[in-house]
Amino acid sequence: LLKKMYSLLKKEGIFIGRFHFLDKISCSGTISDIVEKIINGNLTDRARFILLKIHIVWLFTDLVRRELNRPISAKKFDEYVKKNSISNPILLEVRDSLIADQNSYRNYSVPEEKELTRIISRHFDIIDKKNAYDYEDMLYYPIYALRPKYNA
């Protein structure tokens, strides 16, 4: 996609895009910590569901191999729900969704920030990088202003 965007831009053109990366902090903690933080956050039920699901999957991500371990995510969350006799409908929906998606063909993970920068820098110079501040996890979804690299 970056190569295609590069080919479409003029030398003075700018590509503005939102990207995603993970780091050791986003892939650490415990299921209990994640659940408590998100369930008690000032969020809609839909936002809670989405954040819980992605954070549980991230918890079992191999950053070196850039792989999500969906089966382990589903198994560990199901064990957590059973062990704690969870009846919260959002948590039950998360569990059911993780189980349904555990054999998804999509098991690749986004890169760490350093690797993301390296990938972007193959075709673009990074002019600016900003973050929105109106949603959870905004630090993992930076917005870049990129200029295509052209040999002079």
Side-chain angles (χ1 to χ4, degrees):
L1 179 61
L2 287 174
K3 189 174 183 179
K4 180 68 172 176
M5 292 307 300
Y6 171 84
S7 72
L8 295 173
L9 288 171
K10 294 180 179 180
K11 186 176 183 176
E12 66 280 357
I14 294 177
F15 170 49
I16 298 173
R18 177 168 296 186
F19 293 83
H20 181 204
F21 70 88
L22 291 176
D23 62 14
K24 287 177 179 60
I25 294 171
S26 59
C27 298
S28 65
T30 66
I31 291 174
S32 294
D33 292 341
I34 292 167
V35 167
E36 184 176 331
K37 178 184 176 203
I38 294 172
I39 287 295
N40 293 325
N42 186 19
L43 304 164
T44 65
D45 285 349
R46 187 72 187 147
R48 284 185 181 103
F49 168 78
I50 291 166
L51 286 172
L52 280 165
K53 187 174 175 186
I54 62 175
H55 277 268
I56 298 302
V57 171
W58 290 353
L59 189 57
F60 300 97
T61 296
D62 183 331
L63 287 173
V64 174
R65 293 181 14 211
R66 290 184 54 196
E67 290 181 351
L68 305 172
N69 195 330
R70 291 179 184 276
I72 293 295
S73 300
K75 180 179 184 257
K76 295 291 188 183
F77 196 73
D78 186 45
E79 289 171 357
Y80 170 82
V81 167
K82 288 175 180 172
K83 178 183 173 189
N84 294 287
S85 302
I86 301 291
S87 61
N88 180 309
I90 296 169
L91 297 177
L92 296 176
E93 183 183 8
V94 169
R95 181 203 51 199
D96 294 346
S97 181
L98 288 169
I99 290 170
D101 293 343
Q102 69 181 325
N103 295 315
S104 171
Y105 69 92
R106 187 189 164 277
N107 69 343
Y108 62 89
S109 171
V110 296
E112 291 188 73
E113 187 173 22
K114 184 177 178 181
E115 177 67 6
L116 176 62
T117 300
R118 189 186 69 72
I119 292 167
I120 290 171
S121 297
R122 288 180 193 154
H123 299 289
F124 293 95
D125 290 319
I126 298 172
I127 298 169
D128 200 5
K129 175 185 161 192
K130 301 278 186 197
N131 289 90
Y133 292 99
D134 59 343
Y135 60 94
E136 285 287 320
D137 295 335
M138 68 265 176
L139 297 177
Y140 300 112
Y141 296 91
I143 301 165
Y144 287 92
L146 308 170
R147 179 161 287 130
K149 286 185 175 182
Y150 284 98
N151 296 331

